[in-house]
């Protein structure tokens, strides 16, 4: 069986390959969320490639749809894309592997890319689960920049009102959005206090510490205490490749051949 660290490493390698081969962007945000996805798919979510639409599955909504390469790579590693050639088809006309997340693909709950929408849909899914007395959980992965969207705060209010304790929001808090630092463009702090004031249970965690992620995800998944949960995952945009880390340029830039060689050697050394 593949270990969680191996998933995280293979995921980053595949993201690098996809972004460089197809000259696409958003590698920084794909790398910041890589460890979160690896832990969720390897250790937490009750989802199987054999039956991606199983009624009793856990639901994962990936709101930061621009970082689609991370989700696609993870689903591919978990066997969801048998019969597809992700590398060949990614961004090509007429395929479902669009450059923002596409729900026509197996294992994908919702098309995303227009930021600020998945948490509201996650609330609907969680509410449906509770009303039907279903045991499954809903995870919703958001970027920090997209918390500027007012629709999220409406969903945050709604989730607490409806006691959606089967909902876990995960914030990929990499401190950078498309045109600069989150703190300069629209400061979120004190972020944990904001969620607490909205009556959510909140924990902050190093978003690259796999055991810590596993621990909080598992506890939050199992807890049914009447409160929605938020994991604020402190991450690094571009995590894993030194010259991409904390550099805004890698929100847009696609890696050249020389960048790829350098990046591969760093990723292999882990
Ligand atoms: C509603 C909406 N407005 C604008 C954009 C353009 N856009 C793409 S990514 C992005 C922000 C990127 O920063 P962040 O949300 O923090 O994502 P991450 O750092 O995780 O890549 C924006 C504004 C969009 N996708 N959706
Ligand atoms: Mg960000």
């Amino acid at each position: 069986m593949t270990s969680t660290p191996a998933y995280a490493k293979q995921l980053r390698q595949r993201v690098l390959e996809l972004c460089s081969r197809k000259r696409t962007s958003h590698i920084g945000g794909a790398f910041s969320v890589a460890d979160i996805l690896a832990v969720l798919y390897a250790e937490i979510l009750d989802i199987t490639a054999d039956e991606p639409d199983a009624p009793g599955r856990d639901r994962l909504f990936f709101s930061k749809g621009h970082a689609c390469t991370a989700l696609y790579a993870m689903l591919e590693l978990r066997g969801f894309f048998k019969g597809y050639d992700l590398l060949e088809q990614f961004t090509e006309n007429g395929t479902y592997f669009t450059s923002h997340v596409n729900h026509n693909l197996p294992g994908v709950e919702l098309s995303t890319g227009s930021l600020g929408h998945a948490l509201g849909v996650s609330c609907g899914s969680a509410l449906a689960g509770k009303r039907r007395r279903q045991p499954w959980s809903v995870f919703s992965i958001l970027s920090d920049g997209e918390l500027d969207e007012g629709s999220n705060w409406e969903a945050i209010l709604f989730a607490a009102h409806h006691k959606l304790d089967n909902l876990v929001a995960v914030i990929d808090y990499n401190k950078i959005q498309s045109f600069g630092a989150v703190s300069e463009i629209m400061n979120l702090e004190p972020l944990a206090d904001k969620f607490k004031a909205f009556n959510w249970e909140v924990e902050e965690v190093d978003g690259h510490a796999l055991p810590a992620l596993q621990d909080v995800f598992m506890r939050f998944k199992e807890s049914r205490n009447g409160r929605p949960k938020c994991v604020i995952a402190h991450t690094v945009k571009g995590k894993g490749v030194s010259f991409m880390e904390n550099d805004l340029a890698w929100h847009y830039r696609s890696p050249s051949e020389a960048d790829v060689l350098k990046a591969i050697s760093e990723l292999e050394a882990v």
Side-chain angles (χ1 to χ4, degrees), residues 6-254:
Y7 274 126
K9 179 175 177 169
Q10 288 169 25
L11 191 160
R12 286 191 172 89
Q13 288 168 332
R14 194 60 160 161
V15 166
L16 181 68
E17 213 175 359
L18 289 165
C19 291
S20 59
R21 261 279 286 274
K22 299 301 172 87
R23 315 289 307 150
T24 62
S25 314
H26 307 130
I27 193 165
F31 281 177
S32 66
V33 80
D35 296 310
I36 293 166
L37 285 174
V39 172
L40 284 173
Y41 277 92
E43 305 187 47
I44 305 293
L45 297 173
D46 188 4
I47 302 177
T48 161
D50 296 335
E51 203 187 348
D53 296 326
R57 72 191 182 284
D58 289 330
R59 273 73 168 161
L60 184 282
F61 292 91
F62 191 76
S63 198
K64 40 175 284 180
H66 58 281
C68 64
T69 50
L71 183 67
Y72 292 168
M74 190 67 238
L75 289 170
E76 183 186 45
L77 286 167
R78 293 298 281 169
F80 283 81
F81 295 154
K82 289 192 187 96
Y84 295 85
D85 186 335
L86 170 59
L87 188 58
E88 211 44 59
Q89 297 183 358
F90 179 50
T91 69
E92 298 299 328
N93 283 338
T95 81
Y96 290 135
F97 290 104
T98 44
S99 64
H100 286 63
V101 167
N102 190 321
H103 76 274
N104 289 293
L105 293 164
V108 177
E109 300 285 351
L110 180 72
S111 292
T112 49
S114 180
L115 293 165
H117 294 295
L119 189 60
V121 178
S122 305
C123 283
S125 179
L127 184 62
K130 288 194 77 68
R131 290 202 168 153
R132 294 175 195 162
R133 301 190 191 290
Q134 295 298 307
W136 39 264
S137 300
V138 180
F139 282 78
S140 200
I141 300 181
L142 286 78
S143 57
D144 47 9
E146 77 166 310
L147 285 177
D148 297 356
E149 298 285 350
S151 48
N152 284 314
W153 297 98
E154 192 177 334
I156 292 164
L157 196 60
F158 180 96
H161 177 82
H162 289 281
K163 299 185 170 37
L164 302 181
D165 52 9
N166 52 349
L167 172 66
V168 182
V170 184
I171 314 296
D172 177 3
Y173 198 4
N174 60 27
K175 322 291 186 299
I176 297 177
Q177 50 189 86
S178 21
F179 291 111
V182 169
S183 60
E184 284 167 15
I185 291 171
M186 190 75 84
N187 187 22
L188 295 172
E189 291 298 333
L191 185 57
D193 288 347
K194 288 186 173 72
F195 274 93
K196 283 177 197 161
F198 278 74
N199 219 6
W200 284 52
E201 192 174 344
V202 187
E203 280 195 32
E204 299 190 59
V205 67
D206 175 346
H208 303 298
L210 303 179
L213 286 169
Q214 197 268 355
D215 174 64
V216 70
F217 289 157
M218 193 51 90
R219 280 186 293 108
F220 275 6
K221 178 176 169 164
E222 286 173 355
S223 163
R224 292 289 189 264
N225 61 358
R227 298 171 78 198
K229 322 285 191 301
C230 174
V231 176
I232 299 178
H234 292 279
T235 57
V236 173
K237 202 150 175 169
K239 175 72 179 178
V241 174
S242 60
F243 60 91
M244 294 183 184
E245 290 186 358
N246 289 317
D247 184 346
L248 175 65
W250 290 100
H251 185 72
Y252 296 106
R253 193 179 285 168
S254 68

